[in-house]
Amino acid sequence: MENQQQSNQQSAQQAGQRRGPLVIIGGAEDREGDCIVLREFVRRAGGVKAHIAVLTAATSMPREVGDTYISAFTKIGAAEVEVINTEHPEDSDRQEAVEKIQRATGIFFTGGDQARIIELVKGTRIDQAIRERQSQGVVIGGTSAGAAMMPDTMIIEGDSATNPRVDAVDLGPGMGFLPGIAVDQHFSQRGRLGRLISALVQQPAILGIGIDEDTAVLVDGDEFEVVGQGSVTVVDESAATHNNLAGLLRDEGLAVCDVKLHILPQGYRFNMKTRRAILPGTAVPAPAMAQG
Amino acid sequence: MENQQQSNQQSAQQAGQRRGPLVIIGGAEDREGDCIVLREFVRRAGGVKAHIAVLTAATSMPREVGDTYISAFTKIGAAEVEVINTEHPEDSDRQEAVEKIQRATGIFFTGGDQARIIELVKGTRIDQAIRERQSQGVVIGGTSAGAAMMPDTMIIEGDSATNPRVDAVDLGPGMGFLPGIAVDQHFSQRGRLGRLISALVQQPAILGIGIDEDTAVLVDGDEFEVVGQGSVTVVDESAATHNNLAGLLRDEGLAVCDVKLHILPQGYRFNMKTRRAILPGTAVPAPAMAQG
């Protein structure tokens, strides 16, 4: 198992990918009961030795949201939890904020509006510090907007409960912690199949990952594992035989044929490179430990 | 084109299937504006010579709903529209009701609760009369509950906006006008991917057809064509490589790998036997005409 983990890390490094694990949560995770999803984040941050930095950039209520996560992570047993409140981009260049990132063994992005994360964090000094910590193996987690921003191309906003249409979704640059995928959150709860397919038709090489509420994908190298109450819907358009994008007008219905779909509940893993599910019961590589 | 239509009908007859076309509507179809979907039903019933029988069995407000369709079908140009109101099963054995079916060149089921259609119509004299008319080429249409009841196994009720679970859906016998499929309606609008997949995992040979609001599939032989504002989502689990149904408990998440999905907007056709989409621009077989 140790060998497998090492070879995962090597292949990730050879491919020029970053090394730290990711915990990508579909929103509305339990913060008061068993906290199954948040526990997995803290575990990857070092368990009772974890030192968590909470970024509230996405939310317009940073104090309340920050307090919620201080309470949740402390209850689970993290050694220290610090909030980084960035209401203006210059807040993200402050030395104090950078040092909180440098001390952190786990970095967590709250929910809110994903466009705020890009506006307030991307390209700042803490962004650079986060990437350094990620390359040292530190886990990055995020829920809802904090999940949406993970890919290099993110869904900024869009219509839920719609059939696929070009105008159903606005795309823009994300934080790029996990390239080559598109993430949508609150997936089953808000009926977002149409919106995710609308995003993917415009870039079919990208793998779509729809994450339910109180559910997360735990990314380690090329693989992720599902944990939580709901499911993860993997939408693979790479083998699609047809779409009608050429010449389509904005409000017309998208067509796409032979999309591949995988529904994965807790315990299932998925290899994003081979695009194959891995059934439970096979050995799960141990989570990469943060280097404190 | 005539040859293709003939051979479609022959193959349907050879397979022991019934002959009349079906217009299966995902609910909330336009009844006051352009009425694109309802027009296709009336067209198949004979156009301005159409004689429509409206069955209100599904609804607890038969008078209001009946009046709505009298008004819509008359406005489109149907020659005659008669409502068959069946509030008790014995109403469906009345000679007067049977004669309305025998005169009809198009039979239409309104929305409401699909279980009421089974309870009030199935096995009655008008059921028998409907099947006779269908074998003579008369079109049967239905919206919402009137769409759900079309297959031999129907979704009685279930949770919208949920991940797939065994307890997400209750199945039971439908009217069986189109065997071998499962229909779900209000599909994108209510986020019903999870519910349809929950139904299909229990019988993967069946083809899933999720129909959006103000959208219909026009079934003729082995093929259907999509018409309306939304899309039809075809869910094909016949090639699925894995599911976790064995040993699964009621409230646990279903897993299923390698489901095939097709998103088809207006103008696209689909062959339910070959399970392949047919792109717009190829010759569309003319709708089978009702024999008056």
Side-chain angles (χ1 to χ4, degrees):
Chain A
M1 218 154 81
E2 207 181 351
N3 282 344
Q4 193 179 346
Q5 186 190 338
Q6 279 171 358
S7 83
N8 273 353
Q9 291 188 355
Q10 278 165 8
S11 78
Q13 283 166 333
Q14 281 160 5
Q17 291 172 9
R18 292 101 173 173
R19 225 163 32 106
L22 301 170
V23 176
I24 311 178
I25 307 170
E29 74 286 354
D30 178 18
R31 291 157 209 157
E32 292 175 350
D34 292 341
C35 301
I36 291 171
V37 168
L38 293 182
R39 277 169 185 268
E40 293 303 321
F41 171 73
V42 176
R43 199 186 305 286
R44 280 159 180 74
V48 293
K49 295 182 180 170
H51 186 138
I52 313 285
V54 176
L55 284 92
T56 54
T59 175
S60 55
M61 300 186 300
R63 218 154 286 189
E64 294 88 327
V65 173
D67 285 348
T68 301
Y69 283 101
I70 289 176
S71 159
F73 287 137
T74 304
K75 201 194 75 173
I76 293 169
E80 209 166 330
V81 187
E82 292 188 290
V83 171
I84 301 179
N85 185 5
T86 54
E87 294 182 57
H88 308 282
E90 52 269 29
D91 296 338
S92 299
D93 287 325
R94 287 200 190 135
Q95 184 59 25
E96 183 207 23
V98 171
E99 286 170 7
K100 283 181 181 173
I101 298 288
Q102 286 168 341
R103 280 196 298 271
T105 62
I107 298 162
F108 188 87
F109 287 80
T110 72
D113 176 357
Q114 47 265 47
R116 286 177 59 102
I117 299 177
I118 304 304
E119 183 195 336
L120 296 170
V121 177
K122 195 163 185 175
T124 65
R125 285 187 63 208
I126 62 168
D127 183 9
Q128 197 185 341
I130 292 166
R131 285 164 210 279
E132 277 165 18
R133 290 306 276 155
Q134 191 189 20
S135 73
Q136 293 159 1
V138 164
V139 59
I140 300 178
T143 184
S144 194
M149 63 75 184
M150 292 278 182
D152 39 7
T153 300
M154 80 175 185
I155 296 175
I156 302 172
E157 59 181 349
D159 298 341
S160 296
T162 177
N163 64 309
R165 302 184 326 274
V166 175
D167 66 355
V169 65
D170 284 337
L171 302 174
M175 292 293 284
F177 297 128
L178 185 59
I181 63 157
V183 169
D184 211 349
Q185 64 285 353
H186 306 278
F187 190 76
S188 292
Q189 287 75 21
R190 299 193 186 169
R192 285 183 164 172
L193 176 70
R195 159 172 147 151
L196 183 53
I197 285 182
S198 303
L200 293 172
V201 167
Q202 303 176 50
Q203 42 190 1
I206 283 190
L207 186 72
I209 302 179
I211 309 175
D212 286 354
E213 294 182 355
D214 199 16
T215 306
V217 300
L218 314 173
V219 180
D220 190 10
D222 295 329
E223 285 186 13
F224 67 75
E225 183 180 345
V226 179
V227 66
Q229 294 296 315
S231 299
V232 168
T233 303
V234 177
V235 182
D236 181 359
E237 291 197 10
S238 61
T241 54
H242 168 79
N243 73 54
N244 66 343
L245 200 57
L248 197 72
L249 300 180
R250 276 186 72 79
D251 59 350
E252 291 175 347
L254 274 168
V256 53
C257 297
D258 295 296
V259 175
K260 206 175 269 182
L261 205 73
H262 311 274
I263 309 278
L264 308 175
Q266 177 155 305
Y268 279 74
R269 287 182 294 144
F270 192 84
N271 186 307
M272 293 176 280
K273 202 164 245 174
T274 63
R275 301 203 165 193
R276 303 297 311 159
I278 303 160
L279 310 187
T282 54
V284 182
M289 283 300 296
Q291 291 163 3
Chain B
M1 216 154 83
E2 208 181 351
N3 282 344
Q4 193 180 346
Q5 187 189 340
Q6 280 172 358
S7 83
N8 274 352
Q9 291 188 356
Q10 278 165 7
S11 79
Q13 282 167 335
Q14 281 160 6
Q17 292 172 7
R18 293 102 173 173
R19 223 163 35 106
L22 301 170
V23 175
I24 311 178
I25 307 170
E29 74 286 353
D30 177 18
R31 292 157 210 156
E32 292 175 351
D34 291 340
C35 301
I36 291 171
V37 168
L38 293 182
R39 276 169 186 268
E40 293 303 321
F41 172 73
V42 177
R43 198 185 308 285
R44 280 159 182 74
V48 293
K49 294 183 180 171
H51 187 138
I52 314 286
V54 175
L55 283 93
T56 55
T59 176
S60 55
M61 299 186 301
R63 217 153 289 189
E64 294 88 329
V65 173
D67 285 349
T68 301
Y69 283 101
I70 289 175
S71 159
F73 288 136
T74 304
K75 200 194 75 172
I76 293 169
E80 207 164 333
V81 188
E82 293 189 289
V83 171
I84 301 179
N85 185 4
T86 54
E87 294 182 56
H88 308 281
E90 52 268 30
D91 296 337
S92 299
D93 287 325
R94 286 200 191 134
Q95 184 59 25
E96 183 207 22
V98 171
E99 286 170 6
K100 283 181 182 173
I101 297 288
Q102 287 168 342
R103 280 196 298 271
T105 62
I107 298 162
F108 189 87
F109 288 80
T110 73
D113 176 357
Q114 47 265 47
R116 285 177 58 102
I117 299 177
I118 305 304
E119 183 195 336
L120 296 170
V121 177
K122 197 164 184 175
T124 65
R125 284 187 65 207
I126 63 168
D127 183 10
Q128 197 185 341
I130 291 165
R131 285 165 211 281
E132 277 165 18
R133 290 306 277 154
Q134 191 188 21
S135 72
Q136 292 160 3
V138 164
V139 59
I140 300 179
T143 184
S144 194
M149 64 74 184
M150 292 278 184
D152 38 7
T153 300
M154 81 174 185
I155 296 175
I156 302 173
E157 60 182 348
D159 297 341
S160 297
T162 177
N163 64 309
R165 302 184 326 273
V166 174
D167 65 355
V169 65
D170 285 336
L171 302 174
M175 292 294 284
F177 296 128
L178 186 60
I181 62 158
V183 170
D184 210 348
Q185 64 285 356
H186 306 278
F187 190 75
S188 292
Q189 287 75 21
R190 298 193 186 168
R192 286 183 164 172
L193 176 71
R195 158 172 148 151
L196 183 54
I197 285 183
S198 302
L200 293 172
V201 167
Q202 302 176 50
Q203 43 191 359
I206 283 189
L207 187 71
I209 301 178
I211 309 174
D212 285 354
E213 294 182 354
D214 199 17
T215 307
V217 299
L218 314 174
V219 179
D220 190 11
D222 295 328
E223 286 185 12
F224 67 74
E225 183 181 345
V226 179
V227 66
Q229 293 296 315
S231 300
V232 169
T233 303
V234 177
V235 182
D236 181 359
E237 290 197 12
S238 61
T241 55
H242 168 78
N243 74 54
N244 66 345
L245 201 57
L248 197 71
L249 300 180
R250 275 186 72 81
D251 59 350
E252 291 174 349
L254 274 168
V256 54
C257 298
D258 294 297
V259 175
K260 205 175 270 183
L261 205 73
H262 311 274
I263 309 279
L264 307 175
Q266 176 156 306
Y268 279 74
R269 288 180 294 145
F270 192 85
N271 186 307
M272 294 176 280
K273 202 164 245 174
T274 63
R275 301 203 166 193
R276 302 299 310 161
I278 303 159
L279 310 187
T282 53
V284 181
M289 284 300 296
Q291 292 163 3

